[in-house]
Amino acid sequence: MIKLIAIDMDGTLLNEQHLVTDKVKKAITKASEAGIRIVLCTGRPVQAVYEYLKELELPQDEEDYVISLNGTVVQKTTTWEIVYSHELNHDHLKQAERLIEPFEMNFTYFDEKEYYYTGAPTEMLQFDADLLGMEKVHLPLEKLPHDLTVFKAMYVASETELDRLASSLPSFIVEYFYPIRSLSYVLELLPKNANKGEALTGLATKLGFSMDEVMAIGDGENDLDMMKVAGTSVAMGNAVDSIKQVAKHETKSNQEDGVAHAIYEWAIQN
């Protein structure tokens, strides 16, 4: 019996117009009414999740949560209390930023609420900020306050430039970070032990659920870890091949109400 459904956002919950369709909304409401906890599990910062939580009428009670920044932060959706988090070392961030010098790319990073960048703004950076619905804040790392907690960093550039960077990453990146290519134009640097699967496992344990009672729905490389730990894993029809290979089930695409289909097929009766 499914008691918790973890749903990725971009490419999964949201269609290509970045909207939650009526069919998906209805399925999520029915799952909630059946007593199933709905947890958005996203690479987005929580600031870029608020409007969707409100639209989906989440939270329902004090034990509703959101997993943001690809598993680095877990928060209550009633009080925004952080109940679980990982953070990045400032010195390691500075080392990582130096790698962008030969490339046309931005280095960005996030605390709980803000989207920071260190160099000159680019069209790709603006595109990403617009997608998240966030104002970008220029804050060079040499001016980074010592008490500012950084949960995630990113290289943002064209696919070609990121391919060049990815092919020459030094060993300290893997030593200090968990790097993951979440989008064609984004290479993320997460804290070493942080990922969606680890955060989802911790949250399920906190709520008293076994992983056999957890469903995870996703489409991208950053969903791989939660696919591996969930008892019921569902790849979107538009998912990358690595997700489809690991997932136990495959649903329709995000343009075809795939999340709704997955909920009715493997969690509740329509």
Side-chain angles (χ1 to χ4, degrees), residues 93 97-98 100 105-109 115-121 125 137-142 144 154:
L93 281 174
E97 187 205 20
R98 295 188 193 110
I100 72 172
M105 66 177 58
N106 285 109
F107 189 77
T108 72
Y109 58 100
Y115 184 151
Y116 301 102
Y117 70 101
T118 63
L125 177 68
V137 177
H138 185 247
L139 184 60
L141 289 180
E142 59 267 22
L144 183 64
M154 303 191 313

Side-chain angles (χ1 to χ4, degrees), residues 118-131:
T118 63
T122 63
E123 288 185 11
M124 193 64 72
L125 177 68
Q126 189 61 56
F127 173 83
D128 191 57
D130 290 344
L131 176 65

Side-chain angles (χ1 to χ4, degrees), residues 79-270:
T79 63
W80 302 114
E81 173 193 357
I82 295 177
V83 297
Y84 174 88
S85 67
H86 290 281
E87 62 185 78
L88 293 173
N89 177 283
H90 287 196
D91 290 334
H92 295 165
L93 281 174
K94 292 172 183 176
Q95 285 183 259
E97 187 205 20
R98 295 188 193 110
L99 298 182
I100 72 172
E101 292 179 3
F103 303 99
E104 294 182 13
M105 66 177 58
N106 285 109
F107 189 77
T108 72
Y109 58 100
F110 298 84
D111 64 2
E112 181 188 348
K113 295 181 178 179
E114 300 290 354
Y115 184 151
Y116 301 102
Y117 70 101
T118 63
T122 63
E123 288 185 11
M124 193 64 72
L125 177 68
Q126 189 61 56
F127 173 83
D128 191 57
D130 290 344
L131 176 65
L132 297 177
M134 298 182 71
E135 293 293 331
K136 58 191 188 301
V137 177
H138 185 247
L139 184 60
L141 289 180
E142 59 267 22
K143 296 182 179 180
L144 183 64
H146 67 87
D147 59 347
L148 191 149
T149 301
V150 179
F151 295 116
K152 182 178 83 166
M154 303 191 313
Y155 297 108
V156 178
S158 68
E159 184 173 0
T160 302
E161 284 294 89
L162 274 187
D163 287 343
R164 288 180 58 214
L165 174 67
S167 67
S168 60
L169 284 176
S171 59
F172 79 79
I173 290 292
V174 175
E175 181 181 354
Y176 297 151
F177 304 98
Y178 179 34
I180 189 163
R181 188 79 169 265
S182 56
L183 296 165
S184 63
Y185 66 92
V186 172
L187 175 61
E188 301 193 15
L189 300 179
L190 304 181
K192 183 67 176 178
N193 296 314
N195 60 67
K196 288 185 178 184
E198 196 252 359
L200 182 57
T201 301
L203 179 57
T205 300
K206 178 180 176 61
L207 293 171
F209 302 151
S210 74
M211 295 312 292
D212 286 339
E213 297 171 314
V214 174
M215 172 189 281
I217 311 172
D219 74 300
E221 291 287 351
N222 58 331
D223 299 317
L224 192 59
D225 294 291
M226 73 173 184
M227 291 286 142
K228 291 178 179 178
V229 300
T232 302
S233 51
V234 184
M236 298 295 291
N238 53 287
V240 297
D241 289 343
S242 59
I243 295 295
K244 291 182 178 182
Q245 290 168 5
V246 168
K248 293 182 174 69
H249 306 286
E250 183 175 334
T251 185
K252 298 178 181 180
S253 76
N254 64 328
Q255 289 292 90
E256 303 169 298
D257 307 304
V259 166
H261 177 78
I263 289 173
Y264 292 135
E265 186 73 17
W266 298 292
I268 61 173
Q269 295 298 312
N270 190 351

